[in-house]
Structure formats: C-alpha cells, structure tokens
Amino acid sequence: MNVTSIDLSAMNTELVTSMEGMFQNCSSLTSLDLTSFNTSKVTNMSSMFYGTSSLKEVRVSNLWDM
C-alpha cells in the first residue's frame, strides 16, 4: 500500500512516552501534520522518521517538545 497521507488530527498523544519507529519505512508519505501531537512526556523518538524518503514536510505546534 502506498499511503501518502494520514489523518492524525484526532490522535491524543498526551500520555505517550515512546514514538519509536512510529512512521518508520512509510516511504510514500509526503507530508505529516502533527500539530495535534503533545510530546511533553515522550522520552524516545528514535527512528521515528527512518525510511520516510518521500517525506518533505512535517508540521508541528507549540505542543511539540523535544
């Protein structure tokens, strides 16, 4: 399957601690809107975007904390 976009607008990440490999090898993704993501509790983002060779744009908000 060649998924180019994913609607993550309703995803609640407030309590998530690991996003390891979340989009790994999603090679057809071209853009991601992660403005609803709250990463304040995330301690591991390892390989989150590994293998996303077509990804050109990632949108985040002030909820994004690295």
Side-chain angles (χ1 to χ4, degrees), residues 8-20:
L8 301 169
S9 60
M11 189 169 183
N12 182 343
T13 61
E14 188 175 327
L15 300 176
V16 174
T17 58
S18 178
M19 293 186 174
E20 180 178 6

Side-chain angles (χ1 to χ4, degrees), residues 5-11 33:
S5 64
I6 303 169
D7 182 1
L8 301 169
S9 60
M11 189 169 183
D33 183 347

Side-chain angles (χ1 to χ4, degrees), residues 1-45:
M1 184 184 315
N2 293 326
V3 176
T4 58
S5 64
I6 303 169
D7 182 1
L8 301 169
S9 60
M11 189 169 183
N12 182 343
T13 61
E14 188 175 327
L15 300 176
V16 174
T17 58
S18 178
M19 293 186 174
E20 180 178 6
M22 183 176 258
F23 303 106
Q24 186 171 349
N25 294 323
C26 292
S27 59
S28 297
L29 278 179
T30 56
S31 67
L32 282 171
D33 183 347
L34 305 181
T35 54
S36 66
F37 275 36
N38 179 340
T39 62
S40 62
K41 294 192 179 357
V42 175
T43 57
N44 186 358
M45 291 186 182

